[in-house]
Amino acid sequence: MTSPPRGARRRRPVLVPVASALAAAGVAVTALFGGFAEAAEEPPPKAEPGEVIDQGEFRTQFIKAIDTTEKDDFGGPKRYLELVLKVTNMGDETTSVGMLPKPDAKVPYLTGFARSLLRITPEIKTKYGPEVTVLSYGIKSQQLHPGITTTVVVKFDLEPAATAPEKIDLDVGSFVWDKVGARDETYYWQLVGEDKGDTFVPTVAARISLPVRQERG
């Protein structure tokens, strides 16, 4: 069994039944107005650029979003939109940086860091999808080692004449150290969320807006 990570173990939030008296009062009020009213869902907490977000398994600082030009494999100019993050692995084991989830795709429980970037708005469409890498002393890798803060770059291809967005909005998820299920006693870091039938809906822990600025290489 994998050893528990540093810090207290946290479980998914559990819905608590409403007291009978409050429920009865609610029924009376809604009946009076001829139906049931749904409470508006509260927006997730907002984070500022440069703020460190506690994601359970990770501590992540969202540094910047840049429209930049770099040399491709043939020495020619290549344009990218890059998101630059500082990520600290708070667990006890090396984990993969992973890949971003596809828009509107089912997100699995067990996942690498990048799967916690739940949604990027506006959607940046690329032919092969974004590249996610860990940069440490100029060396690229796919691994996040425990207790070490490293730079993670999410890189999208941009066409030379494309107009980059003025800002990027990111919905960020979090992880919980928990069992896979009632029949599986193995503990893993899992995305916090809710099962809805055959679909898993991750919980947005924070929302952050990054202005996109130009940095020409």
Side-chain angles (χ1 to χ4, degrees):
M1 179 182 295
T2 307
S3 61
R6 290 185 293 274
R9 178 184 138 206
R10 299 183 302 169
R11 299 182 63 84
R12 290 192 186 88
V14 178
L15 294 177
V16 179
V18 180
S20 299
L22 292 178
V27 169
V29 171
T30 51
L32 177 64
F33 288 95
F36 288 89
E38 294 185 2
E41 185 177 348
E42 293 186 3
K46 289 186 177 180
E48 298 296 327
E51 183 178 344
V52 176
I53 297 176
D54 180 2
Q55 294 185 268
E57 187 179 6
F58 306 99
R59 300 290 187 274
T60 307
Q61 185 179 22
F62 293 80
I63 305 296
K64 61 182 178 180
I66 58 174
D67 174 5
T68 186
T69 301
E70 302 175 5
K71 290 184 179 180
D72 61 19
D73 295 337
F74 303 99
K78 182 67 178 176
R79 191 168 166 223
Y80 299 100
L81 178 67
E82 295 183 358
L83 308 181
V84 182
L85 323 173
K86 292 286 188 181
V87 180
T88 305
N89 179 358
M90 303 302 293
D92 288 338
E93 296 184 353
T94 297
T95 185
S96 169
V97 72
M99 300 174 62
L100 265 69
K102 295 181 179 179
D104 302 320
K106 180 178 179 179
V107 181
Y109 294 105
L110 310 180
T111 178
F113 162 77
R115 290 284 186 177
S116 68
L117 305 181
L118 304 175
R119 184 180 298 274
I120 296 177
T121 307
E123 181 184 353
I124 311 298
K125 296 182 179 180
T126 62
K127 185 176 181 180
Y128 301 107
E131 174 188 347
V132 186
T133 55
V134 179
L135 292 180
S136 181
Y137 299 103
I139 300 175
K140 291 183 179 181
S141 78
Q142 295 293 309
Q143 296 183 324
L144 293 166
H145 299 291
I148 298 177
T149 301
T150 50
T151 300
V152 172
V153 177
V154 182
K155 181 183 290 188
F156 297 86
D157 288 342
L158 286 181
E159 295 296 329
T163 300
E166 294 183 357
K167 68 182 180 71
I168 293 290
D169 294 327
L170 296 103
D171 284 353
V172 182
S174 61
F175 296 87
V176 64
W177 180 252
D178 204 355
K179 292 185 293 186
V180 175
R183 296 183 179 180
D184 191 337
E185 297 293 324
T186 306
Y187 280 80
Y188 291 98
W189 281 109
Q190 306 172 38
L191 277 174
V192 174
E194 181 182 357
D195 281 310
K196 294 187 176 180
D198 60 351
T199 301
F200 175 71
V201 180
T203 300
V204 179
R207 181 169 293 160
I208 183 168
S209 294
L210 294 174
V212 177
R213 65 172 187 254
Q214 289 190 350
E215 286 190 8
R216 297 305 182 192

